[in-house]
Amino acid sequence: MKFFTKPVKPEDTADDALLNSYRENRDLKVLGRLYERYMLLVYGVGLKYLKDEEQAQDVVMAIFEELAQKVHQHDVKQFRSWLYVLSRNYCLMQLRAGKKLETVTLDEFVEFTPVLHPDTEGREEAMQALERCMDKLIPAQKQSVKLFYLDEKCYKEVADETGFTMNEVKSYIQNGKRNLKICLEKNSGQ
């Protein structure tokens, strides 16, 4: 029974012919004609996943570059659906790569809310609390935190100025931030 077989559309056979022609001759013009039919589909997939028009346009270009190699590596039965999956996977990989770049750990970012918001009442008390907490730090932590946050020096500059190693500077700043946060929370009654 041919009742359950998918009907063959004219564009499917045309896609197959162009794909086979490209595989035999490696003529990018042939692949370009085939890809041109589905550029809007690829752009739509890029826009759906990446939510940015420029990045979606980049996806269209990148997929064409990948396509030239991938059609030789895979047994493509239906070009349109295969291209959709290729585009979707490419976008998902872009999203994954982007998330890795944007990750910030808690130790790298500590916000001292009372000090950062000068319009709040009690700013003077907050500054005095910060000074008292700074005085409770061990000298190496106090010096490193002061140079890094107040004088806005980078790790290397702090290391050069103090004579500490880079690892020591990072450790002093990290531990100093944690100790300041604990001290400030105790003083604010949180």
Side-chain angles (χ1 to χ4, degrees):
M1 275 176 100
K2 293 191 176 194
F3 179 65
F4 291 109
T5 61
K6 183 179 179 228
V8 177
K9 297 178 186 174
E11 63 265 11
D12 289 344
T13 56
D15 289 352
D16 291 342
L18 287 172
L19 188 59
N20 289 334
S21 175
Y22 172 70
R23 283 180 172 158
E24 291 171 10
N25 303 325
R26 292 189 184 258
D27 184 3
L28 283 177
K29 288 180 184 177
V30 173
L31 186 63
R33 282 199 349 240
L34 175 60
Y35 187 63
E36 194 172 24
R37 297 176 179 180
Y38 301 106
M39 284 173 51
L40 195 57
L41 169 79
V42 175
Y43 177 77
V45 171
L47 201 55
K48 175 183 175 184
Y49 284 95
L50 302 177
K51 313 275 192 253
D52 181 79
E53 290 180 14
E54 285 185 31
Q55 287 181 335
Q57 291 171 1
D58 292 343
V59 168
V60 172
M61 297 306 295
I63 292 297
F64 183 73
E65 291 173 8
E66 281 195 22
L67 199 59
Q69 299 159 353
K70 298 231 177 189
V71 294
H72 294 291
Q73 299 168 353
H74 299 277
D75 183 26
V76 180
K77 300 287 186 202
Q78 289 187 321
F79 183 76
R80 184 180 193 280
S81 55
W82 178 82
L83 182 62
Y84 174 84
V85 171
L86 178 69
S87 303
R88 184 195 64 200
N89 290 345
Y90 179 86
C91 290
L92 292 174
M93 291 302 288
Q94 293 302 306
L95 289 172
R96 254 184 235 132
K99 284 183 182 175
K100 287 179 185 172
L101 295 175
E102 294 173 17
T103 302
V104 177
T105 64
L106 182 60
D107 289 334
E108 292 172 336
F109 180 78
V110 172
E111 180 177 313
F112 300 111
T113 306
V115 177
L116 293 178
H117 301 288
D119 296 338
T120 60
E121 294 179 19
R123 184 175 187 275
E124 187 63 35
E125 292 86 24
M127 292 301 288
Q128 289 173 355
L130 181 60
E131 287 176 21
R132 283 193 302 271
C133 289
M134 284 285 288
D135 288 338
K136 291 181 182 178
L137 296 177
I138 64 170
Q141 288 177 0
K142 181 178 178 180
Q143 184 180 19
S144 298
V145 167
K146 181 186 174 305
L147 289 170
F148 188 75
Y149 286 105
L150 301 178
D151 298 345
E152 298 180 349
K153 300 202 182 257
C154 68
Y155 286 139
K156 184 174 179 355
E157 290 171 325
V158 174
D160 291 343
E161 196 166 316
T162 60
F164 302 140
T165 66
M166 287 284 280
N167 286 337
E168 288 173 328
V169 168
K170 289 177 185 177
S171 177
Y172 291 143
I173 291 171
Q174 179 180 355
N175 292 331
K177 283 191 307 186
R178 185 183 64 246
N179 291 336
L180 278 175
K181 183 178 180 195
I182 291 168
C183 179
L184 288 170
E185 286 173 351
K186 283 181 183 176
N187 287 338
S188 69
Q190 290 178 343

